[in-house]
Amino acid sequence: MSTLTQMLNTHPARTGDAAAELVACIEACAECLQTCTSCADACLSEDMVSELTTCIRTNLDCADICAATASILTRQTGSNPEVVRAALEACRAACAACAEECEKHADMHDHCRVCAEACRRCEKACADLLALS
């Protein structure tokens, strides 16, 4: 059992065990945040950095949205279902856009391939959680 699952399960405002989909989504958001931040940094180190500005901006936008979504999902007290749904939809859209952009560079830059894969996993985890609500 992950530390996140333990925290959610022991939260005083929580009823029952944390749903596997919730934990998977929070973890996917955290992974995507880290991967997108690293991809943006790697893009800045490439010789052709001027051709990667859209990728860098998309990476940073996705990282910020993933961070916010993970935080919103982790809080268990007084959640607003409309806000949670909006965050998940925004995260799913940001991840799809970032994956699409990184896939354009995946053949030339392995970091873009890795980032696109993480974004697709997060996009799916958000969609899976949205399907439950």
Side-chain angles (χ1 to χ4, degrees), residues 90-108:
C91 191
R92 181 175 61 175
C95 288
C98 192
E100 186 176 311
E101 181 61 31
C102 280
E103 286 163 353
K104 294 176 185 176
H105 312 286
D107 289 341
M108 291 180 61

Side-chain angles (χ1 to χ4, degrees), residues 9-130:
N9 286 343
T10 60
H11 194 290
R14 191 76 186 153
T15 57
D17 289 339
E21 293 85 3
L22 174 63
V23 172
C25 192
I26 295 168
E27 290 175 345
C29 286
E31 176 190 46
C32 197
L33 155 66
Q34 294 164 338
T35 305
C36 287
T37 301
S38 183
C39 188
D41 186 60
C43 285
L44 286 168
S45 296
E46 295 291 349
D47 291 335
M48 56 185 285
V49 69
S50 64
E51 296 173 30
L52 296 170
T53 55
T54 300
C55 192
I56 295 164
R57 286 187 184 111
T58 306
N59 286 156
L60 296 175
D61 288 348
C62 190
D64 289 345
I65 292 170
C66 285
T69 303
S71 292
I72 290 166
L73 294 176
T74 301
R75 289 191 289 270
Q76 299 299 300
T77 307
S79 295
N80 180 325
E82 291 176 17
V83 171
V84 171
R85 185 167 192 74
L88 285 167
E89 289 172 352
C91 191
R92 181 175 61 175
C95 288
C98 192
E100 186 176 311
E101 181 61 31
C102 280
E103 286 163 353
K104 294 176 185 176
H105 312 286
D107 289 341
M108 291 180 61
H109 306 293
D110 281 339
H111 54 84
C112 285
R113 176 189 51 77
V114 170
C115 188
E117 291 169 357
C119 287
R120 293 292 183 203
R121 283 190 299 274
C122 191
E123 177 186 13
K124 182 183 181 323
C126 288
D128 290 348
L129 196 54
L130 279 165

